[in-house]
Amino acid sequence: MTPTMTLERPASAWFRLDRHDVRGQVPAQIRAMLQNGILDRVFRDALVPNFLFPQIADSEPWQGGLGDTKTFTRKGLLTPATTPVTGSDPSPSSYSIEQWSVIMDQFAGSMDTNMLMSALALANKFLADMATLGIQAGQSINQVARNKLYKAYAGGRTWCTTAGTSDTSILVQSTNGFETVLVNGVPTPVSGANPLNVTIAGTANTVVGVNTSTGALTLGTARTDTAGDYVLAANAPVTIRPTGNSAFDLTSSNTATFAQFRAGVARLRKMNVPTLPGGYYAAHIDPDTEAQLFSDADFKQALQGRVDSPIYRDLSIGRFGGIDWVRNIEAPTVLGGSAGSLVVHRPIILGDGALMSAPLEGQGSLLSGTGVEDVPEIRSVNAAPGVDVEVIVRPPQDRLQQVLATTWSWVGDYGVPSDSGTGDAALFKRGVVLEHA
Protein backbone atom coordinates (compact mmCIF):
# COMPACT_ATOMS: atom_id res chain seq x y z
CA MET A 1 0.00 0.00 0.00
CA THR A 2 1.27 3.38 -0.89
CA PRO A 3 1.91 5.40 2.28
CA THR A 4 -0.17 8.50 2.80
CA MET A 5 1.87 11.70 2.40
CA THR A 6 1.09 14.71 4.60
CA LEU A 7 2.10 18.13 3.34
CA GLU A 8 3.15 20.44 6.15
CA ARG A 9 2.17 24.10 5.68
CA PRO A 10 5.03 26.43 6.57
CA ALA A 11 4.40 28.25 9.81
CA SER A 12 4.76 31.61 8.08
CA ALA A 13 1.83 30.81 5.81
CA TRP A 14 -0.49 30.75 8.81
CA PHE A 15 0.35 34.35 9.77
CA ARG A 16 -2.72 36.42 9.01
CA LEU A 17 -3.34 40.06 9.93
CA ASP A 18 -6.91 39.24 10.94
CA ARG A 19 -5.72 36.56 13.41
CA HIS A 20 -2.74 38.37 14.96
CA ASP A 21 -3.30 41.83 16.37
CA VAL A 22 -0.57 43.61 14.45
CA ARG A 23 -2.89 46.32 13.26
CA GLY A 24 -3.79 47.35 16.78
CA GLN A 25 -0.15 47.95 17.65
CA VAL A 26 0.71 50.38 14.85
CA PRO A 27 -0.07 54.10 14.60
CA ALA A 28 -3.57 54.98 13.41
CA GLN A 29 -2.36 56.73 10.26
CA ILE A 30 -0.64 53.51 9.13
CA ARG A 31 -3.39 51.14 10.29
CA ALA A 32 -5.54 51.84 7.22
CA MET A 33 -2.78 50.49 4.99
CA LEU A 34 -2.76 47.11 6.81
CA GLN A 35 -6.19 46.19 5.48
CA ASN A 36 -7.40 42.65 5.05
CA GLY A 37 -8.30 43.09 1.40
CA ILE A 38 -6.13 43.96 -1.57
CA LEU A 39 -3.93 47.02 -1.21
CA ASP A 40 -2.70 48.98 -4.21
CA ARG A 41 1.07 48.69 -4.17
CA VAL A 42 1.56 52.25 -5.40
CA PHE A 43 0.78 55.42 -3.45
CA ARG A 44 -1.15 57.88 -5.60
CA ASP A 45 -0.06 61.50 -5.84
CA ALA A 46 -1.99 64.21 -4.04
CA LEU A 47 -3.07 67.48 -5.65
CA VAL A 48 0.15 69.46 -5.99
CA PRO A 49 0.35 73.15 -6.96
CA ASN A 50 3.10 74.45 -9.20
CA PHE A 51 6.01 76.13 -7.44
CA LEU A 52 6.56 79.23 -9.57
CA PHE A 53 7.58 82.12 -7.34
CA PRO A 54 11.17 80.95 -6.63
CA GLN A 55 11.66 80.60 -10.38
CA ILE A 56 11.63 84.37 -10.89
CA ALA A 57 14.31 85.03 -8.26
CA ASP A 58 17.92 85.91 -9.08
CA SER A 59 20.11 83.59 -6.99
CA GLU A 60 23.12 84.81 -5.05
CA PRO A 61 24.43 82.16 -2.61
CA TRP A 62 26.39 83.38 0.43
CA GLN A 63 28.14 82.14 3.55
CA GLY A 64 26.99 82.92 7.07
CA GLY A 65 25.65 81.50 10.31
CA LEU A 66 22.02 81.20 11.34
CA GLY A 67 20.66 84.65 12.14
CA ASP A 68 23.36 86.48 10.19
CA THR A 69 22.20 89.44 8.11
CA LYS A 70 23.62 90.37 4.73
CA THR A 71 22.95 93.81 3.31
CA PHE A 72 22.92 94.50 -0.42
CA THR A 73 23.44 97.94 -1.91
CA ARG A 74 22.24 99.32 -5.23
CA LYS A 75 23.12 102.77 -6.53
CA GLY A 76 20.74 105.19 -8.19
CA LEU A 77 21.30 107.44 -11.21
CA LEU A 78 22.72 110.93 -11.57
CA THR A 79 20.31 113.75 -12.33
CA PRO A 80 20.50 114.69 -16.04
CA ALA A 81 22.52 117.89 -16.65
CA THR A 82 20.59 119.95 -19.21
CA THR A 83 22.00 123.38 -18.35
CA PRO A 84 25.09 124.51 -20.31
CA VAL A 85 28.33 125.03 -18.41
CA THR A 86 29.18 128.74 -18.85
CA GLY A 87 32.94 128.83 -18.53
CA SER A 88 33.14 127.35 -15.04
CA ASP A 89 33.76 123.88 -13.71
CA PRO A 90 30.66 121.66 -13.52
CA SER A 91 29.26 121.16 -10.06
CA PRO A 92 30.01 117.74 -8.57
CA SER A 93 27.12 115.32 -8.64
CA SER A 94 26.18 112.46 -6.35
CA TYR A 95 23.77 109.58 -6.61
CA SER A 96 21.48 107.99 -4.05
CA ILE A 97 21.75 104.43 -2.81
CA GLU A 98 19.28 101.86 -1.56
CA GLN A 99 19.88 98.87 0.69
CA TRP A 100 17.96 95.73 1.48
CA SER A 101 18.83 92.82 3.73
CA VAL A 102 18.41 89.05 3.93
CA ILE A 103 18.64 86.92 7.08
CA MET A 104 20.14 83.44 7.20
CA ASP A 105 17.18 81.36 8.38
CA GLN A 106 16.60 77.63 8.22
CA PHE A 107 13.45 75.95 6.92
CA ALA A 108 12.95 72.20 7.33
CA GLY A 109 10.52 69.33 7.64
CA SER A 110 10.92 65.72 8.75
CA MET A 111 9.18 62.33 8.87
CA ASP A 112 9.93 59.10 10.71
CA THR A 113 9.38 55.85 8.83
CA ASN A 114 9.15 52.52 10.62
CA MET A 115 10.62 50.15 8.07
CA LEU A 116 8.88 47.13 9.62
CA MET A 117 5.51 48.79 9.22
CA SER A 118 6.52 49.84 5.72
CA ALA A 119 7.14 46.17 4.87
CA LEU A 120 3.82 45.08 6.35
CA ALA A 121 2.02 47.80 4.38
CA LEU A 122 3.14 46.18 1.10
CA ALA A 123 3.52 49.56 -0.63
CA ASN A 124 6.88 51.22 -0.07
CA LYS A 125 6.04 53.78 2.59
CA PHE A 126 9.62 55.03 2.77
CA LEU A 127 9.59 56.12 -0.87
CA ALA A 128 6.13 57.62 -0.42
CA ASP A 129 7.36 59.59 2.61
CA MET A 130 10.32 60.87 0.60
CA ALA A 131 8.06 62.05 -2.21
CA THR A 132 5.66 63.72 0.22
CA LEU A 133 8.52 65.52 1.97
CA GLY A 134 9.70 66.79 -1.41
CA ILE A 135 6.27 68.29 -2.06
CA GLN A 136 6.28 69.90 1.37
CA ALA A 137 9.74 71.38 0.72
CA GLY A 138 8.73 72.82 -2.64
CA GLN A 139 5.47 74.28 -1.35
CA SER A 140 7.15 75.71 1.76
CA ILE A 141 9.93 77.54 -0.05
CA ASN A 142 7.49 78.66 -2.76
CA GLN A 143 5.33 80.33 -0.11
CA VAL A 144 8.34 81.87 1.64
CA ALA A 145 9.27 83.54 -1.65
CA ARG A 146 5.65 84.51 -2.34
CA ASN A 147 5.15 86.05 1.09
CA LYS A 148 8.31 88.16 0.83
CA LEU A 149 7.24 89.35 -2.62
CA TYR A 150 3.69 90.30 -1.61
CA LYS A 151 4.71 91.87 1.70
CA ALA A 152 6.73 94.35 -0.35
CA TYR A 153 4.58 94.90 -3.44
CA ALA A 154 1.19 94.89 -1.68
CA GLY A 155 2.41 96.90 1.32
CA GLY A 156 2.11 100.57 2.21
CA ARG A 157 -1.67 100.63 1.59
CA THR A 158 -4.27 99.46 4.10
CA TRP A 159 -7.48 100.56 5.85
CA CYS A 160 -8.84 101.19 9.33
CA THR A 161 -10.68 98.17 10.75
CA THR A 162 -12.19 99.67 13.92
CA ALA A 163 -13.83 103.04 14.58
CA GLY A 164 -12.41 104.98 17.51
CA THR A 165 -12.35 108.25 19.39
CA SER A 166 -9.73 110.91 18.83
CA ASP A 167 -6.31 109.47 19.65
CA THR A 168 -2.94 108.67 18.05
CA SER A 169 -3.59 104.93 17.52
CA ILE A 170 -5.31 103.36 14.53
CA LEU A 171 -6.03 99.66 14.01
CA VAL A 172 -5.40 98.60 10.41
CA GLN A 173 -5.85 95.51 8.27
CA SER A 174 -2.08 95.11 7.65
CA THR A 175 1.07 96.86 8.87
CA ASN A 176 3.16 95.74 5.88
CA GLY A 177 4.94 98.68 4.32
CA PHE A 178 4.62 100.89 7.41
CA GLU A 179 7.32 99.36 9.60
CA THR A 180 10.41 101.06 8.14
CA VAL A 181 11.44 104.23 6.35
CA LEU A 182 14.54 104.69 4.21
CA VAL A 183 17.18 106.88 5.85
CA ASN A 184 20.06 107.51 3.42
CA GLY A 185 18.91 104.40 1.58
CA VAL A 186 18.93 102.22 4.71
CA PRO A 187 15.63 100.66 5.96
CA THR A 188 15.18 102.09 9.46
CA PRO A 189 12.34 101.35 11.93
CA VAL A 190 9.80 104.18 12.04
CA SER A 191 9.97 106.35 15.16
CA GLY A 192 9.46 109.91 16.30
CA ALA A 193 12.91 110.71 14.91
CA ASN A 194 12.24 108.83 11.65
CA PRO A 195 8.52 109.21 10.86
CA LEU A 196 6.84 107.81 7.77
CA ASN A 197 4.65 110.30 5.92
CA VAL A 198 1.18 108.90 5.22
CA THR A 199 -2.24 110.01 4.04
CA ILE A 200 -5.31 108.85 5.98
CA ALA A 201 -8.65 109.36 4.24
CA GLY A 202 -7.08 112.20 2.25
CA THR A 203 -5.47 114.00 5.22
CA ALA A 204 -1.72 114.10 5.79
CA ASN A 205 -0.31 112.45 8.91
CA THR A 206 2.75 110.49 10.05
CA VAL A 207 3.40 107.02 11.45
CA VAL A 208 5.87 107.04 14.35
CA GLY A 209 5.40 103.49 15.65
CA VAL A 210 4.06 100.07 14.62
CA ASN A 211 2.75 97.16 16.69
CA THR A 212 2.70 94.21 14.30
CA SER A 213 1.06 91.84 16.81
CA THR A 214 -2.03 94.04 17.34
CA GLY A 215 -2.07 95.66 13.90
CA ALA A 216 -1.85 99.17 15.35
CA LEU A 217 -0.11 102.22 13.88
CA THR A 218 0.94 105.03 16.19
CA LEU A 219 0.31 108.39 14.53
CA GLY A 220 2.04 111.70 14.93
CA THR A 221 -1.29 113.57 14.98
CA ALA A 222 -4.43 112.47 16.81
CA ARG A 223 -7.58 111.78 14.76
CA THR A 224 -11.00 110.15 15.00
CA ASP A 225 -11.02 106.84 13.16
CA THR A 226 -13.76 105.52 10.90
CA ALA A 227 -13.79 101.91 9.68
CA GLY A 228 -12.72 101.83 6.05
CA ASP A 229 -10.52 104.96 6.16
CA TYR A 230 -7.63 104.20 3.83
CA VAL A 231 -4.04 104.64 5.01
CA LEU A 232 -1.49 105.26 2.26
CA ALA A 233 2.27 105.55 2.79
CA ALA A 234 4.02 108.28 0.81
CA ASN A 235 6.36 105.65 -0.65
CA ALA A 236 3.72 102.94 -1.22
CA PRO A 237 4.14 100.76 -4.33
CA VAL A 238 1.62 101.32 -7.11
CA THR A 239 -1.36 98.94 -7.01
CA ILE A 240 -4.26 98.85 -9.45
CA ARG A 241 -7.92 98.13 -8.68
CA PRO A 242 -11.20 98.87 -10.49
CA THR A 243 -12.23 101.50 -7.94
CA GLY A 244 -11.45 103.04 -4.56
CA ASN A 245 -8.32 103.56 -2.51
CA SER A 246 -8.01 100.08 -0.98
CA ALA A 247 -9.51 96.60 -1.10
CA PHE A 248 -12.10 97.79 1.45
CA ASP A 249 -13.79 99.81 -1.33
CA LEU A 250 -14.25 96.82 -3.66
CA THR A 251 -17.56 95.05 -4.27
CA SER A 252 -18.44 91.78 -5.97
CA SER A 253 -18.99 93.62 -9.26
CA ASN A 254 -15.36 94.83 -9.41
CA THR A 255 -13.98 91.96 -11.47
CA ALA A 256 -10.72 91.62 -13.42
CA THR A 257 -10.38 93.24 -16.85
CA PHE A 258 -7.68 93.37 -19.50
CA ALA A 259 -7.52 97.15 -19.04
CA GLN A 260 -6.17 96.73 -15.51
CA PHE A 261 -3.33 94.54 -16.75
CA ARG A 262 -2.54 96.99 -19.56
CA ALA A 263 -2.27 99.72 -16.91
CA GLY A 264 0.14 97.52 -14.95
CA VAL A 265 2.34 96.99 -18.00
CA ALA A 266 2.31 100.72 -18.69
CA ARG A 267 3.46 101.38 -15.12
CA LEU A 268 6.40 98.97 -15.44
CA ARG A 269 7.45 100.44 -18.78
CA LYS A 270 7.31 104.00 -17.47
CA MET A 271 9.65 102.96 -14.64
CA ASN A 272 12.10 101.39 -17.16
CA VAL A 273 11.63 97.95 -15.59
CA PRO A 274 13.39 95.36 -17.77
CA THR A 275 11.33 92.46 -19.07
CA LEU A 276 12.02 88.85 -18.24
CA PRO A 277 14.12 86.83 -20.72
CA GLY A 278 12.10 86.67 -23.90
CA GLY A 279 10.93 90.28 -23.86
CA TYR A 280 7.73 89.98 -21.79
CA TYR A 281 6.58 90.65 -18.24
CA ALA A 282 4.93 87.79 -16.30
CA ALA A 283 1.41 88.00 -14.84
CA HIS A 284 0.69 85.38 -12.19
CA ILE A 285 -3.07 84.81 -12.10
CA ASP A 286 -5.26 82.36 -10.19
CA PRO A 287 -8.21 80.42 -11.73
CA ASP A 288 -10.78 83.04 -10.67
CA THR A 289 -8.84 85.85 -12.32
CA GLU A 290 -8.49 83.75 -15.48
CA ALA A 291 -12.20 82.95 -15.56
CA GLN A 292 -13.15 86.62 -15.22
CA LEU A 293 -10.72 87.67 -17.94
CA PHE A 294 -12.34 85.26 -20.39
CA SER A 295 -15.57 87.21 -19.84
CA ASP A 296 -13.83 90.44 -20.87
CA ALA A 297 -14.20 91.28 -24.58
CA ASP A 298 -10.85 93.12 -24.79
CA PHE A 299 -9.02 90.14 -23.31
CA LYS A 300 -10.62 87.66 -25.68
CA GLN A 301 -9.83 89.85 -28.68
CA ALA A 302 -6.18 90.13 -27.67
CA LEU A 303 -6.06 86.39 -27.00
CA GLN A 304 -6.93 85.64 -30.63
CA GLY A 305 -3.54 86.91 -31.77
CA ARG A 306 -1.53 85.39 -28.97
CA VAL A 307 2.03 84.09 -29.23
CA ASP A 308 2.72 80.82 -27.41
CA SER A 309 5.18 81.10 -24.55
CA PRO A 310 8.28 78.88 -24.71
CA ILE A 311 9.14 79.68 -21.09
CA TYR A 312 6.12 78.54 -19.09
CA ARG A 313 4.78 76.02 -21.60
CA ASP A 314 1.58 74.41 -20.29
CA LEU A 315 1.29 76.94 -17.45
CA SER A 316 0.98 79.88 -19.82
CA ILE A 317 -2.21 81.02 -21.48
CA GLY A 318 -0.02 82.72 -24.06
CA ARG A 319 1.94 85.87 -24.76
CA PHE A 320 0.11 89.06 -25.65
CA GLY A 321 -0.27 92.58 -24.36
CA GLY A 322 3.39 92.54 -23.31
CA ILE A 323 2.64 89.78 -20.79
CA ASP A 324 3.35 86.08 -20.29
CA TRP A 325 0.05 84.99 -18.73
CA VAL A 326 0.93 82.36 -16.11
CA ARG A 327 -1.52 80.19 -14.19
CA ASN A 328 -0.52 80.18 -10.53
CA ILE A 329 -2.96 78.84 -7.94
CA GLU A 330 -0.66 80.03 -5.13
CA ALA A 331 -1.35 83.71 -5.86
CA PRO A 332 -2.74 84.87 -2.48
CA THR A 333 -6.08 86.47 -1.65
CA VAL A 334 -7.18 88.81 1.14
CA LEU A 335 -10.56 89.52 2.73
CA GLY A 336 -11.83 93.00 1.87
CA GLY A 337 -15.02 94.84 1.11
CA SER A 338 -17.04 96.89 3.58
CA ALA A 339 -18.23 93.74 5.38
CA GLY A 340 -14.76 92.24 5.55
CA SER A 341 -15.89 89.02 3.87
CA LEU A 342 -15.23 89.74 0.18
CA VAL A 343 -12.48 87.55 -1.27
CA VAL A 344 -10.11 89.93 -3.05
CA HIS A 345 -7.78 88.33 -5.60
CA ARG A 346 -4.28 89.72 -6.05
CA PRO A 347 -2.64 88.84 -9.36
CA ILE A 348 0.82 90.33 -9.81
CA ILE A 349 2.76 91.49 -12.88
CA LEU A 350 6.52 91.13 -12.52
CA GLY A 351 9.57 92.32 -14.38
CA ASP A 352 13.17 91.17 -14.17
CA GLY A 353 14.98 91.49 -10.83
CA ALA A 354 11.87 91.74 -8.65
CA LEU A 355 13.02 89.03 -6.24
CA MET A 356 16.41 87.79 -5.09
CA SER A 357 17.20 84.39 -3.61
CA ALA A 358 20.07 84.18 -1.10
CA PRO A 359 20.62 80.51 -0.19
CA LEU A 360 23.47 79.27 1.97
CA GLU A 361 26.41 78.31 -0.19
CA GLY A 362 27.53 74.71 0.23
CA GLN A 363 24.54 73.46 2.21
CA GLY A 364 25.33 69.84 1.43
CA SER A 365 28.93 69.92 2.70
CA LEU A 366 28.41 70.99 6.32
CA LEU A 367 29.83 67.67 7.62
CA SER A 368 32.87 67.64 5.34
CA GLY A 369 36.05 66.90 7.26
CA THR A 370 34.30 65.73 10.42
CA GLY A 371 34.85 62.02 9.82
CA VAL A 372 31.11 61.26 10.02
CA GLU A 373 30.08 62.77 6.71
CA ASP A 374 29.19 59.31 5.33
CA VAL A 375 27.02 58.24 8.28
CA PRO A 376 23.82 60.05 7.20
CA GLU A 377 22.95 60.17 3.53
CA ILE A 378 22.86 63.81 2.42
CA ARG A 379 22.01 64.77 -1.13
CA SER A 380 20.76 67.82 -2.93
CA VAL A 381 17.30 67.61 -4.54
CA ASN A 382 15.59 70.15 -6.76
CA ALA A 383 12.28 70.65 -4.92
CA ALA A 384 11.09 73.63 -6.98
CA PRO A 385 12.41 75.68 -9.90
CA GLY A 386 15.48 77.46 -8.59
CA VAL A 387 15.30 75.75 -5.17
CA ASP A 388 17.71 72.97 -4.20
CA VAL A 389 17.05 71.51 -0.75
CA GLU A 390 19.18 69.06 1.18
CA VAL A 391 17.59 65.68 1.93
CA ILE A 392 19.07 63.90 4.95
CA VAL A 393 18.37 60.24 5.72
CA ARG A 394 19.51 59.52 9.28
CA PRO A 395 20.28 55.93 10.24
CA PRO A 396 17.93 54.36 12.81
CA GLN A 397 18.52 55.47 16.40
CA ASP A 398 16.16 53.00 18.06
CA ARG A 399 17.33 49.68 19.53
CA LEU A 400 15.53 47.64 16.89
CA GLN A 401 17.16 49.68 14.10
CA GLN A 402 13.84 50.10 12.31
CA VAL A 403 12.91 53.81 12.39
CA LEU A 404 14.50 55.97 9.71
CA ALA A 405 14.33 59.76 9.95
CA THR A 406 14.09 61.62 6.65
CA THR A 407 14.47 65.40 6.69
CA TRP A 408 14.68 68.24 4.19
CA SER A 409 16.45 71.51 4.90
CA TRP A 410 16.87 74.83 3.11
CA VAL A 411 18.94 77.63 4.62
CA GLY A 412 18.69 81.14 3.24
CA ASP A 413 16.27 83.97 2.61
CA TYR A 414 14.58 86.00 -0.11
CA GLY A 415 15.10 89.72 -0.54
CA VAL A 416 13.14 92.34 -2.48
CA PRO A 417 15.07 95.33 -3.89
CA SER A 418 13.11 98.58 -3.62
CA ASP A 419 14.60 100.62 -6.49
CA SER A 420 14.16 103.75 -4.41
CA GLY A 421 17.03 105.50 -6.16
CA THR A 422 15.32 105.79 -9.54
CA GLY A 423 11.94 106.85 -10.86
CA ASP A 424 9.26 108.33 -8.62
CA ALA A 425 8.83 108.20 -4.84
CA ALA A 426 7.15 104.77 -4.81
CA LEU A 427 9.14 101.78 -3.61
CA PHE A 428 9.26 98.36 -5.26
CA LYS A 429 8.89 99.36 -8.88
CA ARG A 430 9.60 96.02 -10.57
CA GLY A 431 6.11 94.63 -10.00
CA VAL A 432 2.50 95.73 -9.81
CA VAL A 433 -0.21 94.08 -7.71
CA LEU A 434 -3.78 94.19 -9.05
CA GLU A 435 -6.81 93.79 -6.81
CA HIS A 436 -10.26 92.63 -7.85
CA ALA A 437 -13.22 90.76 -6.40
Side-chain angles (χ1 to χ4, degrees):
M1 172 181 283
T2 304
T4 302
M5 298 181 63
T6 301
L7 297 178
E8 295 292 335
R9 185 184 298 270
S12 60
W14 292 100
F15 183 88
R16 291 172 51 190
L17 291 179
D18 59 349
R19 295 183 60 184
H20 300 270
D21 188 25
V22 174
R23 300 179 68 205
Q25 308 304 314
V26 302
Q29 62 268 31
I30 298 178
R31 201 172 301 156
M33 295 184 293
L34 305 181
Q35 54 190 329
N36 295 325
I38 298 175
L39 176 69
D40 191 342
R41 301 179 69 92
V42 179
F43 284 96
R44 302 303 180 185
D45 291 336
L47 298 176
V48 181
N50 295 291
F51 311 134
L52 297 176
F53 287 110
Q55 186 174 348
I56 67 172
D58 298 326
S59 182
E60 188 166 339
W62 60 297
Q63 290 282 354
L66 285 180
D68 286 355
T69 298
K70 182 176 182 179
T71 301
F72 296 86
T73 302
R74 176 180 288 169
K75 65 179 181 63
L77 300 176
L78 296 176
T79 303
T82 58
T83 303
V85 176
T86 56
S88 60
D89 289 338
S91 299
S93 300
S94 61
Y95 51 77
S96 61
I97 64 168
E98 64 154 320
Q99 292 184 334
W100 70 96
S101 299
V102 292
I103 300 175
M104 189 69 78
D105 284 325
Q106 186 170 30
F107 305 87
S110 186
M111 290 189 72
D112 288 341
T113 305
N114 189 310
M115 299 307 292
L116 174 62
M117 301 309 167
S118 179
L120 291 175
L122 297 180
N124 194 324
K125 186 175 183 298
F126 174 67
L127 294 181
D129 289 352
M130 289 276 286
T132 306
L133 275 175
I135 294 172
Q136 183 196 38
Q139 194 166 16
S140 299
I141 305 305
N142 183 65
Q143 292 189 9
V144 169
R146 178 199 68 181
N147 294 344
K148 287 294 182 79
L149 195 66
Y150 272 83
K151 181 177 181 179
Y153 282 97
R157 184 186 297 268
T158 187
W159 65 90
C160 175
T161 58
T162 306
T165 57
S166 180
D167 57 19
T168 58
S169 179
I170 180 172
L171 295 176
V172 294
Q173 181 268 342
S174 173
T175 60
N176 291 341
F178 298 93
E179 301 166 19
T180 61
V181 62
L182 292 180
V183 178
N184 296 323
V186 181
T188 305
V190 297
S191 63
N194 298 299
L196 173 64
N197 293 325
V198 298
T199 300
I200 305 178
T203 302
N205 209 317
T206 57
V207 173
V208 296
V210 178
N211 188 326
T212 57
S213 60
T214 63
L217 303 179
T218 302
L219 306 176
T221 303
R223 69 181 304 273
T224 301
D225 300 329
T226 301
D229 286 349
Y230 74 90
V231 185
L232 177 64
N235 57 5
V238 170
T239 59
I240 296 172
R241 67 195 57 78
T243 186
N245 297 292
S246 73
F248 178 89
D249 299 322
L250 297 178
T251 66
S252 58
S253 63
N254 298 136
T255 56
T257 64
F258 187 44
Q260 297 163 20
F261 286 86
R262 290 202 309 267
V265 170
R267 165 66 185 175
L268 296 180
R269 286 176 175 164
K270 286 191 290 186
M271 291 295 105
N272 295 313
V273 176
T275 59
L276 295 166
Y280 289 77
Y281 300 116
H284 292 251
I285 62 175
D286 68 17
D288 293 289
T289 301
E290 180 181 353
Q292 292 178 16
L293 285 172
F294 273 97
S295 297
D296 181 64
D298 290 342
F299 178 84
K300 288 188 290 187
Q301 184 176 10
L303 180 63
Q304 292 174 0
R306 77 174 198 177
V307 179
D308 287 334
S309 168
I311 298 178
Y312 294 100
R313 300 184 184 278
D314 293 339
L315 295 172
S316 180
I317 300 171
R319 280 179 164 178
F320 54 91
I323 293 175
D324 252 320
W325 299 83
V326 183
R327 297 181 177 98
N328 191 344
I329 197 172
E330 294 265 292
T333 60
V334 65
L335 291 179
S338 58
S341 58
L342 180 70
V343 177
V344 176
H345 300 270
R346 286 181 161 180
I348 188 170
I349 309 173
L350 296 168
D352 194 32
L355 184 66
M356 191 195 69
S357 172
L360 173 66
E361 190 172 21
Q363 294 187 48
S365 57
L366 298 179
L367 296 181
S368 297
T370 63
V372 296
E373 56 266 27
D374 295 329
V375 176
E377 180 186 357
I378 303 177
R379 63 179 182 270
S380 183
V381 174
N382 185 254
V387 177
D388 292 327
V389 301
E390 304 309 312
V391 175
I392 305 102
V393 181
R394 188 188 69 184
Q397 303 293 303
D398 60 308
R399 290 181 175 85
L400 292 174
Q401 293 291 287
Q402 292 177 180
V403 181
L404 284 175
T406 309
T407 304
W408 67 267
S409 171
W410 186 83
V411 183
D413 196 9
Y414 284 88
V416 184
S418 68
D419 286 299
S420 63
T422 57
D424 56 23
L427 301 181
F428 309 112
K429 302 179 179 70
R430 295 174 183 252
V432 177
V433 171
L434 287 70
E435 297 178 333
H436 69 88

